[in-house]
Amino acid sequence: MIDYHLPTDKLNELRNLHRHTRNKREADRIKAVVLLATGWTAEQVAEVLQVDPNTVRNHFKRYQQGGIELLVHIAFRGSECLLDDIELALLNNHLQENLYLTAKEIAHWVENIFEVTYTESGMTALLHRLGYVYKKPKLIPGKADPEAQKEFLVEYEKAKKNKGEEDPIYFMDAVHPQHNPVISNAWIKRGDEQEIRSNTGRKRININGAMSLDKLEPVVRYDDTINSESTIALLKQLEQLHPTAAVIYVICDNARYNRSKAVSKYLETSRIKLMFLPPYAPNLNLIERLWKFFKKKILYNRYFESFDDFKFACQSFFSNANQYHDEILSLRSDKFAIIGD
């Protein structure tokens, strides 16, 4: 239990300072220490000052540690840091493992752990100084296996190293854009509401595609359904594009149609070699970046009144991919991040 007793000369010094201070927050801190030292409980003081009892106790602890100077030091507002290097390291480690919605919540944690008070703006400034920004976290598959991803990348590098000079590596996947705008952030004048019309129904088009590191334009086809037949047809297109290749490597996910009996039978006499990604690892499929870029260019905040207009816009993107030459070129890096590690 904390001993709140103070000698008379200390109490007189605090009371004198309280009479002369013009800062209400400083006055409340001094009052908290004086009242505790004269027999009040932390709960009683907290009720009078309309604060949390732990805040009252922390005021007294600060006075014990640093006297009046530390007691009346009003919260950090950006000019200096009240935490030492060890405390900053502990805060940084804590923030790496815990997500907070507001700087105020972080300031509350700091006060409880280190007994140092920050304003919300002061904590925001400190967070910026530590390299933090306010943004959305990234959703990843809950069952992602980082070790399986690493093992796949080892096999991928082996294939790159051992493949023939004319043997390409493709990344294959399907996408199913729906005839409706994809709402995204945009710059809108403060106070205004920007409306985007939407469509009824759920009509969509099915696109099966493949993308390589070497070829700028993706290979795509449009089918009523993405199934074994659609997959085999796409693989045939790849073979036609590379008549002199001994092996055409195609990296794909574990969709049922990719592992179907029909596809397996086709591969028996084909130059295609499928390399299956680990489950829950879309981060390792290069074409996922293309689908995201496609949605940004065609679907984000765009309304197409008719399904034919929508379909034409989607097909035009892929048939005129050269118009996005530099941007698509930037997607074609096989530096993959491991998720869930």
Side-chain angles (χ1 to χ4, degrees):
M1 185 174 179
I2 301 176
D3 180 9
Y4 293 119
H5 177 267
L6 291 176
T8 302
D9 60 328
K10 296 293 185 182
L11 278 172
N12 289 338
E13 181 183 30
L14 288 166
R15 287 171 173 146
N16 182 62
L17 182 62
H18 183 268
R19 284 194 295 269
H20 291 88
T21 186
R22 296 183 180 181
N23 186 298
K24 181 181 182 302
R25 296 180 65 195
E26 288 185 6
D28 283 350
R29 294 181 181 199
I30 297 168
K31 187 185 299 182
V33 174
V34 171
L35 292 177
L36 284 174
T38 53
W40 288 49
T41 66
E43 289 71 20
Q44 290 171 327
V45 178
E47 181 65 26
V48 171
L49 300 180
Q50 290 297 291
V51 295
D52 186 88
N54 283 332
T55 300
V56 174
R57 297 185 186 99
N58 287 336
H59 290 335
F60 195 91
K61 290 177 183 178
R62 269 195 294 274
Y63 176 72
Q64 284 184 314
Q65 293 170 356
I68 291 175
E69 182 178 358
L70 183 58
L71 174 65
V72 300
H73 192 123
I74 298 301
F76 168 62
R77 296 180 180 274
S79 59
E80 60 176 306
C81 182
L82 295 179
L83 300 179
D84 60 30
D85 290 343
I86 295 177
E87 291 168 335
L88 286 174
L90 290 172
L91 172 61
N92 185 61
N93 290 339
H94 179 73
L95 293 177
Q96 294 290 313
E97 299 176 358
N98 299 273
L99 292 178
Y100 288 89
L101 296 180
T102 66
K104 186 176 182 179
E105 292 176 315
I106 301 174
H108 182 70
W109 182 85
V110 167
E111 182 166 10
N112 284 338
I113 299 300
F114 304 123
E115 301 177 0
V116 174
T117 303
Y118 279 80
T119 63
E120 187 170 6
S121 60
M123 178 53 66
T124 300
L126 177 59
L127 292 172
H128 286 315
R129 183 180 298 179
L130 292 175
Y132 288 86
V133 294
Y134 194 73
K135 64 179 183 179
K136 292 179 182 178
K138 182 180 180 180
L139 284 177
I140 65 169
K143 297 181 180 180
D145 184 343
E147 294 307 315
Q149 294 171 58
K150 293 174 185 176
E151 290 173 9
F152 171 81
L153 289 179
V154 170
E155 295 303 313
Y156 170 69
E157 291 298 330
K158 285 182 181 178
K160 283 177 59 179
K161 181 178 179 180
N162 297 327
K163 73 181 185 68
E165 186 176 343
E166 296 188 12
D167 297 347
I169 298 179
Y170 278 90
F171 294 79
M172 180 174 71
D173 190 29
V175 68
H176 313 276
Q178 188 174 324
H179 180 210
N180 242 329
V182 176
I183 301 303
S184 177
N185 292 348
W187 289 103
I188 301 172
K189 192 173 182 64
R190 183 181 288 111
D192 287 355
E193 291 290 340
Q194 185 72 44
E195 297 178 341
I196 297 177
R197 290 183 291 171
S198 63
N199 301 296
T200 58
R202 297 185 178 180
K203 293 185 69 175
R204 68 182 190 180
I205 61 175
N206 299 302
I207 306 172
N208 209 0
M211 180 181 185
S212 76
L213 289 171
D214 304 319
K215 186 175 174 61
L216 178 65
E217 292 187 2
V219 181
V220 299
R221 57 179 296 107
Y222 308 91
D223 293 284
D224 293 337
T225 303
I226 305 299
N227 53 22
S228 302
E229 290 73 21
S230 170
T231 300
I232 292 171
L234 180 59
L235 297 178
K236 287 180 178 179
Q237 286 180 240
L238 298 180
E239 288 187 295
Q240 291 169 3
L241 285 172
H242 300 277
T244 60
V247 180
I248 300 171
Y249 296 88
V250 178
I251 295 169
C252 61
D253 61 23
N254 291 271
R256 185 177 301 174
Y257 45 80
N258 288 335
R259 289 189 173 274
S260 68
K261 291 181 180 179
V263 171
S264 297
K265 184 173 179 59
Y266 174 76
L267 294 176
E268 290 176 1
T269 57
S270 169
R271 291 177 291 131
I272 299 288
K273 178 179 179 180
L274 293 187
M275 295 178 63
F276 290 98
L277 292 162
Y280 312 106
N283 51 301
L284 301 183
N285 198 340
L286 185 70
I287 201 170
E288 292 286 354
R289 302 176 196 168
L290 178 67
W291 297 153
K292 184 177 180 180
F293 178 70
F294 154 68
K295 292 175 183 178
K296 178 181 177 181
K297 290 295 184 180
I298 303 301
L299 307 181
Y300 281 12
N301 298 334
R302 291 189 64 185
Y303 168 74
F304 297 96
E305 185 168 351
S306 72
F307 182 74
D308 286 341
D309 290 341
F310 166 72
K311 186 175 181 179
F312 178 77
C314 293
Q315 292 177 339
S316 295
F317 172 90
F318 294 106
S319 60
N320 298 285
N322 276 322
Q323 65 181 309
Y324 307 109
H325 178 279
D326 292 341
E327 291 167 289
I328 291 180
L329 200 61
S330 69
L331 305 176
R332 291 164 51 200
S333 166
D334 59 353
K335 302 299 182 183
F336 298 106
I338 302 296
I339 59 175
D341 199 358

